Amino acid sequence: MENNSSSTPADFPEATSPAEMPVAPESGNAATGFAPRTDLSHLSRHAEAIRQELGKVIVGQQALAELLLTALLADGHVLLEGVPGVAKTLTAKLLARTLSVPFSRLQFTPDLMPSDVLGTSVFRPNKAEFEFRPGPIFASIVLIDEINRAPAKTQSALFEVMEERQVTQDGTRYPMPAPFIVLATQNPVEQEGTYRLPEAQLDRFLFKLNVGYPTVEEEVAILQGHHAGFGGTPLDAVRAVVSAEDLQKLREQVRRQHVEPKLLEYIARLVGQTRAHKGLYLGASPRASLALLNGAKALAALRGRDFVTPEDVQYLAPMVLRHRIQLTPEREMEGGTPDDVVKQILQQIEVPR
Amino acid sequence: MFCGPLARTGRGRLAAGLLVLGLLGAGGSPQPAAAASRPTAAADSVPRLAPDRTAALRLRRPQPDRLRELRQQRDFQYVEVKSELSAWDLFWARFWRWVAEALETPSGRVAWEYGVYVFLVLALGFAALKLMQVDLTRAFGRAPRRAALNYDTETEDLHALDLETQLTEAEQQRNYRLAVRLGYLSVLRQLSDKGLIRWQPDKTNHDYLYELPTGPLPEAFRELTRQFEYVWYGEQDDLTAEDYERVRTTRQAFQRRLVPTRHAA
């Protein structure tokens, strides 16, 4: 479990500040009077459909939904952190339900073994040979609940599958289905029976999202919804609106987003500054630069643009960097958080324009 | 043999005679009482040998070769070999001897007494500077420690740029994308000069948008920002003269709006 987690504020209450508010699609290319070069209407339609399905059950949390969609389009894994009862697991399950792809859920426990996750080879006496029985990781959307309750041995089993989208067992490689996304949840307040995730694994998550408490108005809406009843379990209210093939096409579109060369330099400077910052003893890796780039491209597409702006990069920087950097003990004792350092770094680098 | 010197005098002779008698009485003859208590038959059965007073002692001497051989063996060498001190050890031995001698002098004793306090003060000062994260390397004229990756954060001084000249040049060269950028920068400078925004290199265009006072300006600036972002970040290198004219018109209209703002202020 990460020490700074409990002091880290949620991403979403302050996401209502003007700069972080999602920009409506019509404010993109069409509004400038120029003909858009890329037709993003298909992507916007699918994104809106997913948002609407999630909105049937989840009250508020629009920014969380947008970031989950961003990760979905950027082909990245997401680590959701929040206190118990803020709908982390429910949100992940609902997102999986909006996609018509195989879904699997894993409850991580201290006695979980790597073979319980990846699968194991069993001997078939009739064929006199070993046969690989795939584990629950073989699904398109894998929800790992309470990921920090499994020890490092089990965590390390996820390294290959999360990065290379394959499992190697007995010398044979088993590719994962496309898409393959890990949505993991963890609880920041409990110390008993939890393990800190290895840095190598944290680096494999595109975003770490801090899920906070709802506002009073949102909580009233939650109560009203439950009081009225969903007509069954909350999951029944949500239906699949995007297929695996659709998602692949949307991802292709995201990959073709325009990124001005100065913005690439801006991303490299931001990430590079984490390696030179005095308050950090571990900076972010080049994988973080790639994550920031891919995330910014997906976010820009979701906001109706076929190009990335510095706002996209700045908005995603805390989510991409906070779990990839390590504070020095001095900074930690001063009460600093990774988000503070990221904010400081953002203030040090000139926005390209 | 031992009676010889004493027997020379009369008193000596008497003492020697008494000693001989004493010796004979103590061990030389059997005790009558003890002899009477022993059974006679048993006493007769034990043969008695007369003492061999003629046998001479023969000394056994070890062979010289064997002695020499044993002496050469390491186990029989009881003298410890003194280890030879290296030059470095000798230096330190001399140094510490010199220190000890120096401290024994009156001035040395004073230096030792106050030197401890000076050292403690220096150590406390160093610890305090480290806690305050003061870069001590500058104090000794050395360059400060630099990070492995030195990303310089040089900023473009908006107010030092000759934007009007560059803008005219870009328009003449039909580099419309650059012209849109320079036009937008001139608007930002104008806003900054009028105190409507606070220019900071790390701020985004939307940060400036939300700094503008309420009224018609934010919406006009939003439109201008959209056009700039679309052209500059969207890499619109093939912008036509008509497209650019539309952008320029929007910009000039915005800049005209800023004039009454100045008068009002």
Side-chain angles (χ1 to χ4, degrees):
Chain A
M1 198 185 72
E2 288 181 63
N3 301 334
N4 50 21
S5 305
S6 55
S7 59
T8 307
D11 293 325
F12 313 113
E14 70 265 34
T16 49
S17 67
E20 295 176 1
M21 279 290 281
V23 179
E26 60 269 21
S27 65
N29 303 348
T32 59
F34 300 111
R37 287 181 299 180
T38 312
D39 182 15
L40 292 168
S41 59
H42 190 60
L43 188 144
S44 301
R45 219 172 25 251
H46 279 98
E48 192 50 36
I50 293 176
R51 278 199 189 103
Q52 280 182 1
E53 289 304 311
L54 291 178
K56 287 179 183 173
V57 179
I58 303 287
V59 178
Q61 309 278 32
Q62 284 93 355
L64 173 63
E66 185 186 45
L67 287 166
L68 286 172
L69 280 171
T70 306
L72 203 66
L73 292 173
D75 196 10
H77 310 294
V78 180
L79 177 62
L80 293 163
E81 186 175 274
V83 294
V86 289
K88 301 185 296 291
T89 308
L90 179 65
T91 309
K93 282 163 76 176
L94 289 173
L95 180 70
R97 208 171 166 84
T98 60
L99 308 169
S100 54
V101 293
F103 170 73
S104 173
R105 182 202 161 117
L106 278 149
Q107 186 71 40
F108 267 29
T109 54
D111 60 346
L112 199 75
M113 300 296 285
S115 58
D116 298 332
V117 178
L118 303 177
T120 186
S121 294
V122 292
F123 186 69
R124 294 284 180 204
N126 53 346
K127 294 181 185 172
E129 61 183 19
F130 282 93
E131 187 182 291
F132 180 65
R133 291 187 67 180
I137 198 78
F138 283 85
S140 283
I141 303 241
V142 180
L143 168 60
I144 301 179
D145 207 20
E146 304 271 359
I147 191 170
N148 57 340
R149 290 196 183 274
K153 181 172 64 177
T154 311
Q155 302 287 353
S156 57
L158 296 170
F159 288 0
E160 185 190 6
V161 72
M162 284 179 74
E163 181 60 25
E164 297 170 44
R165 265 82 172 166
Q166 64 174 30
V167 170
T168 307
Q169 190 85 9
D170 299 330
T172 309
R173 286 185 299 145
Y174 300 95
M176 304 305 292
F180 173 70
I181 303 160
V182 173
L183 299 172
T185 69
Q186 72 174 11
N187 176 351
V189 291
E190 284 186 49
Q191 301 278 343
E192 183 70 28
T194 60
Y195 302 87
R196 199 186 183 287
L197 294 186
E199 279 75 19
Q201 189 181 1
L202 285 170
D203 201 29
R204 282 161 167 77
F205 284 105
L206 180 76
F207 297 147
K208 180 184 169 192
L209 307 178
N210 295 327
V211 186
Y213 291 113
T215 60
V216 175
E217 292 78 20
E218 286 171 350
E219 201 151 348
V220 170
I222 292 167
L223 293 171
Q224 284 172 343
H226 273 265
H227 182 60
F230 284 107
T233 59
L235 289 174
D236 294 335
V238 177
R239 62 189 173 87
V241 288
V242 176
S243 68
E245 293 75 30
D246 286 336
L247 188 59
Q248 286 303 106
K249 282 178 194 165
L250 300 180
R251 282 179 173 180
E252 275 303 314
Q253 210 165 14
V254 165
R255 281 190 202 104
R256 291 197 298 268
Q257 290 279 82
H258 291 273
V259 186
E260 212 264 330
K262 285 269 181 191
L263 271 173
L264 296 177
E265 197 183 320
Y266 181 57
I267 292 171
R269 280 185 175 187
L270 283 177
V271 175
Q273 197 64 23
T274 65
R275 299 167 203 154
H277 197 276
K278 282 168 75 177
L280 300 175
Y281 88 87
L282 178 71
S285 65
R287 194 186 275 144
S289 305
L290 293 171
L292 202 48
L293 172 67
N294 293 335
K297 282 160 86 173
L299 185 69
L302 278 172
R303 293 183 174 183
R305 281 180 275 109
D306 62 353
F307 56 88
V308 174
T309 64
E311 269 94 12
D312 301 325
V313 177
Q314 284 198 355
Y315 178 56
L316 292 179
M319 293 82 163
V320 171
L321 297 175
R322 63 164 64 113
H323 55 293
R324 292 178 156 101
I325 56 177
Q326 295 280 319
L327 297 178
T328 57
E330 293 88 1
R331 181 54 67 98
E332 215 162 350
M333 281 192 293
E334 287 166 4
T337 63
D339 281 10
D340 295 336
V341 174
V342 173
K343 195 175 170 188
Q344 212 175 39
I345 288 171
L346 284 171
Q347 287 169 350
Q348 287 170 355
I349 311 286
E350 184 182 6
V351 168
R353 70 165 65 79
Chain B
M1 187 174 74
F2 62 84
C3 298
L6 292 172
R8 288 188 189 120
T9 62
R11 195 184 290 178
R13 277 190 208 113
L14 176 64
L18 285 171
L19 184 59
V20 170
L21 283 172
L23 285 171
L24 289 171
S29 62
Q31 294 291 328
S37 65
R38 266 189 223 139
T40 314
D44 293 341
S45 64
V46 177
R48 285 196 170 190
L49 292 174
D52 184 7
R53 297 187 190 280
T54 61
L57 286 173
R58 285 181 60 198
L59 285 174
R60 286 179 61 211
R61 292 186 181 278
Q63 294 294 320
D65 293 345
R66 178 64 181 154
L67 265 179
R68 209 174 299 120
E69 186 190 336
L70 287 171
R71 277 198 189 107
Q72 284 174 354
Q73 286 184 10
R74 189 182 173 137
D75 294 343
F76 296 100
Q77 292 174 3
Y78 300 113
V79 180
E80 286 183 16
V81 179
K82 284 186 180 175
S83 61
E84 288 184 7
L85 289 173
S86 65
W88 184 244
D89 295 334
L90 284 171
F91 165 76
W92 281 112
R94 280 182 194 162
F95 173 76
W96 289 117
R97 201 179 309 128
W98 174 80
V99 169
E101 285 169 4
L103 289 176
E104 280 172 6
T105 60
S107 54
R109 273 196 291 274
V110 172
W112 170 249
E113 193 176 336
Y114 292 102
V116 172
Y117 295 111
V118 170
F119 175 77
L120 283 174
V121 168
L122 286 175
L124 279 171
F126 179 76
L129 288 172
K130 286 299 280 181
L131 283 173
M132 288 190 291
Q133 296 188 335
V134 175
D135 190 1
L136 295 173
T137 52
R138 280 180 187 277
F140 301 103
R142 275 171 45 196
R145 191 174 50 190
R146 299 184 79 90
L149 283 165
N150 178 28
Y151 286 89
D152 50 313
T153 54
E154 62 175 291
T155 57
E156 196 175 32
D157 188 358
L158 189 68
H159 296 85
L161 294 172
D162 185 6
L163 290 172
E164 283 71 26
T165 311
Q166 288 182 33
L167 179 60
T168 311
E169 281 174 9
E171 283 173 346
Q172 284 169 354
Q173 291 166 3
R174 295 175 182 273
N175 188 347
Y176 296 128
R177 184 173 169 235
L178 181 62
V180 170
R181 174 182 179 255
L182 294 168
Y184 188 74
L185 289 179
S186 71
V187 168
L188 284 180
R189 188 169 68 181
Q190 212 172 342
L191 289 169
S192 172
D193 289 344
K194 290 182 182 305
L196 295 169
I197 60 167
R198 224 175 118 243
W199 170 257
Q200 258 178 247
D202 63 291
K203 282 186 183 172
T204 63
N205 301 331
H206 287 257
D207 290 331
Y208 294 130
L209 175 63
Y210 293 106
E211 280 182 23
L212 288 176
T214 49
L217 275 184
E219 195 46 51
F221 185 70
R222 188 193 298 272
E223 178 59 24
L224 206 60
T225 302
R226 278 178 193 153
Q227 288 181 342
F228 161 71
E229 290 184 343
Y230 177 71
V231 172
W232 185 248
Y233 298 127
E235 299 179 288
Q236 293 285 340
D237 291 316
D238 53 351
L239 212 65
T240 62
E242 291 75 35
D243 291 334
Y244 176 68
E245 189 53 40
R246 200 161 55 239
V247 177
R248 191 169 68 168
T249 308
T250 313
R251 173 171 56 82
Q252 286 173 341
F254 181 82
Q255 284 175 317
R256 276 195 298 275
R257 281 185 183 189
L258 292 177
V259 179
T261 310
R262 186 179 58 187
H263 292 313

